[in-house]
Amino acid sequence: MVDSVEKLPNVELEWARIEEKWRKRWTDDKIFETDPQLDKKKYFLTVAYPYPNSPQHVGHGRTYTLADVHARYKRMNNYNVLFPMGFHYTGTPIVSMSQRIKSNDLELIETFQQIYKIPDNVISSLIEPKKIADYFHQEIKQGMNEMGYSIDWRREFTTIDKGYSKFISWQFRNLRKNGLIVQGSHPVGWCPQDQNPVSQHDTVGDIEPELIEYVLVKFKFEDQYVVPTATLRPETIFGVTNLWINPDTKYVVAQVNNEKWIVTKEAARKLEFLNATVKLVSEIDGSDLIGKSVFDEKRKQQVPIFPASFVDPNNGTGIVMSVPAHAPYDYQALIDLRKDGKMLSKYNINANVGPIKIIHTDAFSSNESSPAETIVTSYAIKDQNDPKLEDATNKLYSEEFHNGKLLSNIDEIGNLSVTEARDTIRTKIISQGIGTTMYELKNSVKCRCGTTCVVKLLTNQWFINYGNENWKKMAYELIDNMEILPEEIRQEFTNVIDWLKERACARKSGLGTKLPWDDEWIIESLADSVIYMAYYLLSRHISNNQDLQKDEDKILADNLNDNFFDYVLLGKNNRDTVAMESKISNQLLEKIRNEFEYFYPVDSRHSGRDLVPNHLAFFIFNHVAIFPKDKWPKQIVVNGSVLMEGKKMSKSLGNIIPLRQAIEEYGADSIRLTMLTSAEILQDSDFSFDLVKGIRAKLFDIYRNMNTNLKIFKSQNSLDEDLEDVWISSRLQSIIMDTTAAIEKFRIREALHTILYLMDNDLEWYEKRKLAKNKSIFNNYLREFYETRIKLLSPFAPYFCEEVWELIGNDSYISKAQWPEINQSRISIKSEDNEKLIQNIIFDIQKITKVTKMAPKKISIYTASNVKCKLYRKILDRIQRQVTPNFGQIMKEFINDNEVKELVKRNPDLVKKIIDDILSESENVRERRMKMDSFDEKTPLDDGKSLLISEVGNNQLEVHIYSEDDNDKYDPKQKSKFARPYKPAIYIE
Ligand SMILES: [Zn+2]
């Protein structure tokens, strides 16, 4: 061998030093600061700005890292990329956090000390909300810098900057002018402790409160009491056989408006928030009611009250109407009760009621058993506490909702579809005074202060009216014209736009901008964060502090008014007037306007999947409300969340790792790659430190390999063009093509798999082939391969790639290098089959010698005859065109085909074998072979002889290659007749 690969000692790279070095150079050379450049296409990319109430942990990093990869990728594709960042101070959580510090909340202080490692003297200063936000703001920014994000920091702002508030006031006056802001009474998720509406940002686990509206059916008890049952299916009152009450729960008699209701304590409390006047009269045990009966005013009959443990006192009124024919829980609870002799005799109950069938569906049309019985039996339910009952219920409810019809003998709603019957009955019983409605949270939601949230009917509250039909239409128009990645999440967007209604947009406390026409209210955090991407183009021209204002090139925030924003963002008004009003020069005003015109719209918006139902939907709505069509955003990219060693990250599990700590221990590039390789974009990725270590070792491997082979980068153009040279060159084109296509669609895991692992396989094969021929690997083919690999990797691992880029002799930044381009003339479809053939032959021979334990002295290889190749071609053609796929039919055709009929008659099995051969190849391979007219197997086998010899034998090994057609071939055992195209026959001695 000419070149021996010398082993380097296995030392680690100095990650911290490398990161520091490149970070400083990037900053000093301002390579990520982006201004309009009229001769270049722009790309404006943003990601949801962080809320600074904690340092970022490993889980936060995924979305930002993806956005940074995207920014770096586009930059290498010749775009003038703008990637800015701001900080979202708005809202109540920071305020309540400061109150908890003031009141010496030990749990919070421990979190600050032990997880966030904040020094004690700093903690004591965090009693002011703004100080908390400022502290974590700097902490997060530092982390983003350490991660290597290519952000233009000149445009940074916070949402409590004066200039930003002016901008948000402008947005709100605009929405109001367009009739999109309304005042009124609407239900909202509510924290009784904070006395504020809650949305996703305010809740433990970031859960968006979802509201449902129950119908309460009022049954009469002892003439003077109302027993209300909550249901989402009021049409089923015709199938009620009994009510359920939990015998172990406390109920109360409460004066609700002017009626005496019997409900659980919990329900009485919920009713208060819904603006009922509620006064508790007395308490009763659930067991006191069991065995008695209520009067059903709809059907004018008595209905007995039975005990059931599945009844949840927190759900609805804590009393359930039982429809055993159509509700699996009710059916099962009746079965359980009938078996419970003790209970039956204790309350003197006769449980042999119903079921009463009222709904028909084709899926549950049995005459013998009710739909509920059918499904309970098929799910093999044990008892009413069996968790499978939930699935059974969902299945049946969904079936009846979509395909159900009321039986013809049902009063008032007979023959109606379930949906029609539901609306009819709802309206009727409410107007007859035997029904009402009640809002409730569909999911259990806790405020970050620890209080369980409720639904409150807010009066005089300000709402953004996302229910406005015209507005919805425009929102649909935008998403229909927008790229959404991954595409599979598009339906979720459509659904959200569908169900969004009025949404509270202001609160009485918290940080943020006052409602411009009513300064008792502060605009809440999911309302002031929807069009701020436009503000990135203004922020660096605005000075928020009057005293610091010496700069001629900036506008004082105090001088901003609606005319300014109308001019700069919408192109309205007269320039001279606006310049005069904002006390700036015409040139500066023009410059800002041009900057906005150049960069807007947003080309890509990145965010976590949890923001689809709120932030991202509002982003769409508000853009169509405020901006003309040519300024509507172009793309949304959504990613899943991050698990830590398979578990959800949470404080209680103690598995929250601050990002900066992880970077310090493992280096930013390894963390970045780990976040991106463990899952495709929409799935939750599973972060683990074993994976980080594996990735870091892989990077080091790449580094060591390049460092060892530095001579490659000084190599002259090689004049050789051996088969393996053509092949590696062609492989490189496929790699560029596949990786680029994967990144474009954000199949990042796939792209990284190719760059980090598949490229090594190619490298290894190429080197083996060269070394077996005693040829140097220090050539331009490998130089290009290595260089391309580092370029492909650089958006993902920027520090590492800058370092290697320099190591191999470049004095420019790889961050600004050109993304590899595909050279069509170097794609050789034949070369893939050439090398595959050599690989397969070596593999086959190794297998044979291993099984037979023989040391081969002479190997004869026979390639298939010409006529077999023709036959192969004909079969491939039929399979690919999907004609005559049937074996018998193919045979019939070939028997009459002069070219192949002799062969087929002599060897009928061959057709079958070739069909199997072809079907076992991938679609890619089949297409490739279709494109080739013929394939000469002898050339690559001759060429691969040297490698075959070094892999399976020694220098004395003789290898001969014959065609089946050769008359003077050496073929003592008649092996050649077994040769098939791409499957040469082998004879070993
Ligand atoms: Zn709260």
Side-chain angles (χ1 to χ4, degrees), residues 71-308:
R72 288 175 173 278
Y73 168 74
K74 284 289 178 187
R75 212 172 273 124
M76 292 177 79
N77 278 281
N78 290 328
Y79 285 91
N80 188 26
V81 173
L82 176 57
F83 178 29
M85 190 62 63
F87 291 84
H88 198 194
Y89 281 28
T90 311
T92 50
I94 289 173
V95 177
S96 50
M97 204 175 229
S98 69
Q99 279 156 359
R100 284 172 70 190
I101 294 182
K102 219 183 268 174
S103 62
N104 231 339
D105 183 317
L106 282 182
E107 196 194 327
L108 183 68
I109 289 173
E110 256 175 38
T111 303
F112 276 22
Q113 288 170 329
Q114 283 162 21
I115 302 180
Y116 303 162
K117 313 264 193 286
I118 306 176
D120 284 349
N121 61 326
V122 176
I123 295 178
S124 57
S125 76
L126 299 181
I127 47 175
E128 259 179 70
K130 187 171 175 303
K131 286 232 168 94
I132 295 187
D134 286 343
Y135 177 82
F136 289 121
H137 170 168
Q138 292 312 322
E139 176 78 16
I140 293 168
K141 182 176 175 184
Q142 194 67 32
M144 288 179 163
N145 273 323
E146 286 168 5
M147 281 294 272
Y149 297 156
S150 54
I151 293 169
D152 181 352
W153 285 110
R154 296 172 305 159
R155 299 165 186 277
E156 179 185 0
F157 59 80
T158 85
T159 61
I160 59 168
D161 292 352
K162 199 186 268 175
Y164 191 81
S165 284
K166 292 265 185 154
F167 168 70
I168 296 301
S169 303
W170 171 81
Q171 175 201 340
F172 267 72
R173 274 191 287 260
N174 252 310
L175 291 176
R176 198 177 183 208
K177 234 186 320 191
N178 295 338
L180 301 174
I181 297 205
V182 293
Q183 195 178 24
S185 301
H186 291 279
V188 295
W190 180 261
C191 171
Q193 170 69 29
D194 300 338
Q195 296 281 307
N196 251 327
V198 285
S199 56
Q200 187 182 25
H201 284 174
D202 313 301
T203 62
V204 176
D206 290 324
I207 298 165
E208 176 73 24
E210 277 184 70
L211 273 49
I212 47 174
E213 192 183 13
Y214 279 127
V215 173
L216 299 188
V217 180
K218 296 175 177 177
F219 293 87
K220 268 273 153 67
F221 179 62
E222 293 176 350
D223 286 339
Q224 50 167 331
Y225 301 106
V226 169
V227 176
T229 62
T231 179
L232 293 170
R233 309 205 301 164
E235 73 281 7
T236 59
I237 57 173
F238 291 98
V240 171
T241 57
N242 59 286
L243 301 192
W244 297 116
I245 275 199
N246 193 325
D248 303 320
T249 290
K250 282 266 182 241
Y251 290 78
V252 294
V253 175
Q255 183 77 38
V256 176
N257 300 333
N258 45 24
E259 293 172 334
K260 280 199 183 73
W261 285 20
I262 296 176
V263 292
T264 56
K265 250 185 170 164
E266 292 83 352
R269 181 163 173 274
K270 286 186 289 189
L271 289 167
E272 285 180 44
F273 290 100
L274 297 171
N275 293 350
T277 337
V278 179
K279 229 181 92 199
L280 296 192
V281 179
S282 59
E283 276 193 10
I284 35 174
D285 287 329
S287 54
D288 292 343
L289 296 162
I290 292 166
K292 299 183 173 155
S293 62
V294 291
F295 185 69
D296 169 2
E297 295 186 281
K298 191 78 206 163
R299 291 176 298 170
K300 309 282 180 224
Q301 65 184 55
Q302 293 290 329
V303 172
I305 302 176
F306 292 163

